[in-house]
Amino acid sequence: MTQAQLTDEEWEFVGSYLPIGEYGPYPERLRQQFEGVIWRFKTGGQWREMPTEFGAWSTVHNRFRQWRDAGVFEALLEGLIAEAAKRGEVDLSLVSIDSTTARAHHDAAGMHLGKDVIDALEKAT
């Protein structure tokens, strides 16, 4: 058992978000492939380093891309938040509604300004 394996209860929740097409994926392999995706991001390892217990790394990578493109991870996150809210386990004080409250330095985005421009901007704020 690797650190990426889901409990049956977790899989029941996650599995309901994964699409099954007419020609695949094979439902019995979805859990294995999803756990491979978890392994990849939990360990930071390369796709090619993935243990064979998750299936072929290229298949798991392709499945990840399909799920990403289909919006599965966003839907799953929203579902998890909704479930936590039903149980009263959501702390909305940790949510940032307005990003202007976290001001970044102008160099944070790779922008380089001359000293005269920076001085003018600082005087304007």
Side-chain angles (χ1 to χ4, degrees):
M1 180 175 190
T2 66
Q3 60 182 345
Q5 289 187 331
L6 299 170
T7 66
D8 289 338
E9 183 181 357
E10 290 168 337
W11 173 246
E12 186 177 327
F13 182 82
V14 170
S16 67
Y17 285 87
L18 303 180
I20 299 175
E22 184 177 345
Y23 300 105
Y26 301 107
E28 62 273 8
R29 294 188 188 155
L30 280 177
R31 183 173 182 169
Q32 172 189 38
Q33 293 166 350
F34 190 82
E35 289 174 348
V37 171
I38 293 172
W39 175 89
R40 162 58 174 90
F41 290 100
K42 196 171 194 179
T43 65
Q46 298 296 314
W47 288 106
R48 292 178 188 264
E49 298 172 346
M50 182 174 294
T52 57
E53 68 188 82
F54 301 117
W57 73 266
S58 57
T59 302
V60 177
H61 179 255
N62 287 335
R63 190 72 61 223
F64 162 73
R65 287 184 19 240
Q66 291 168 350
W67 291 332
R68 178 200 63 202
D69 295 347
V72 167
F73 298 107
E74 289 87 352
L76 180 57
L77 180 60
E78 289 173 8
L80 287 168
I81 292 169
E83 280 298 312
K86 285 181 193 175
R87 294 190 303 261
E89 298 174 354
V90 175
D91 182 0
L92 294 179
S93 70
L94 302 175
V95 176
S96 174
I97 303 299
D98 186 353
S99 64
T100 60
T101 60
R103 186 172 177 199
H105 189 271
H106 59 272
D107 285 340
M111 182 179 188
H112 299 288
L113 301 173
K115 179 157 176 36
D116 56 333
V117 175
I118 293 172
D119 291 340
L121 289 172
E122 288 176 349
K123 287 179 185 176
T125 58

